[in-house]
Amino acid sequence: MLDIRMDELIRLDEGLISRRIFFDPEIYRAELDHVFARCWLYLGHESEIPNPGDYTTNYMGEDPVLIWRGMDGEIRAFLNSCRHRGMRVCRTDSGNAHQFACPFHGWTYGNSGELKTVPNFDDGYFGDLDKDSWGLHPVSRLASYGGFIFGNWDAGAESLDDYLGNLRWYLDIMIERSIGGIEVIPGQQRYSVDGNWKIASENFVGDSYHLTHSHGSCYGLPVRMLNPANAITYGRNKLTYYDIALDNGHGFTQFILTGERIEVERALAKEMGPEVVEYVEECYARLVSLSQAQADVYALPFGNVFPNFSINDFSALRPIGLYLWTPKGPGRIEVWQWGATDRDAPQAVKDVARIDFARGQATAGIFGPDDTENFEQVTQSTAGAVGQRLDFNYQLTLGGKAVEGFEDVPGHISNYISEENQRRFYRRYANLMDGGEGAHQTYEKPRLAAHG
Ligand code: FES
Ligand SMILES: [Fe+2]
């Protein structure tokens, strides 16, 4: 157990957080145990591995994992490390295989994780090695929500549904709006950032404060240089936004709660042609059948699923962006990001989505590099002897009241441009780091829509 009390470093009543949590190697080590080995972590989407034998790889904290659909159709996940001497068993990003032979000494595993063959089994182990107890080490818990696969190293963890809590009401909007299901575009963009993972997560959980300043040059671009679906969203407009803090440290920002987003969407669709108009109306109708409150929200904007999985979903006419901020040390993140669309969206929408994904929050997009610069320089200017003694300021809207009047909408609603979501993200983080029970923290009005 870490003998640093997080509640001394994270003083949310005062809106202060010590810079130590963003660089101290001892704290980082504890995060791997207390956060990444206890929380549900995003592993991939079922559409990436549709067939028996399909696999993909990822990380849970710093542990490499292999996500593999067995010949029986079931998805399983394992530590991607040979039980003999630890070699990475699967060394490619994705593909299809009925077994893997470890490249080091040749122990061979089937896609239920079982140890199948061992060189020198008879003359070296004298036939005595108990193969049943030397299969690949499984991820303790695996579950998916609407096709999004999550894993958890903690066998005693709460269910994924409970962990997601009232975030599910919002995920249902993204999932149910999609016609034919969400389909992840094959492959990822990957890049490294010399920054602390929490800086990236908190940027998505609620930092709309930085948008007009950090991305000012993007907002100033002639929007027609981008594509039709960006025209209104990137342009300044008069819509009323809110931030919403959710259970367990999750949070999203830039919500519209009063139905205007569908009007924006209809205007864009009209420019893209009758097929797109029809598509948008069908998306909207699907949400109305879920609930009028969810139809009024229509899209998630952007946010973070605690601890390090961020999503943006601004519109049915733009790509869904999925972002993992995988820690590689206190001062380094490996970013993996995927774009996704509706499987049955018109081709015109898919084309725009792919272009938008590459031009937006991407490695060489117009937003991604601005953020990367912030993440790196925040971390580097925090690493020095003096920098480590100071606090960061999270006092924006501290003491402000929750917005009332949206009784059908779950979560703690703040007026737009707030740091309430970030404070709640760090409350959850502090609770886990201090060895709390990982207590499920429920905020106002939890109303859940079950997802099949
Ligand atoms: S490390 Fe895998 S067979 Fe030796
Ligand atoms: Fe940004």
Side-chain angles (χ1 to χ4, degrees), residues 82 84-87 102 104-107:
C82 179
H84 175 234
R85 197 74 86 253
M87 177 61 185
C102 175
F104 204 167
H105 311 91
W107 284 25

Side-chain angles (χ1 to χ4, degrees), residues 9-48:
L9 299 181
I10 298 176
R11 303 188 308 283
L12 294 172
D13 291 348
E14 301 166 77
L16 299 174
I17 296 182
S18 165
R19 295 182 179 215
R20 282 182 66 189
I21 73 162
F22 300 99
F23 202 77
D24 189 309
E26 193 187 355
I27 291 175
Y28 173 73
R29 237 358 273 182
E31 287 174 351
L32 294 180
D33 287 332
H34 292 262
V35 177
F36 289 95
R38 295 184 65 187
C39 290
W40 285 95
L41 305 174
Y42 181 63
L43 298 181
H45 192 268
E46 289 177 8
S47 63
E48 295 172 84

Side-chain angles (χ1 to χ4, degrees), residues 27 194 256 309 428:
I27 291 175
D194 288 335
I256 294 170
F309 174 43
R428 168 69 163 160

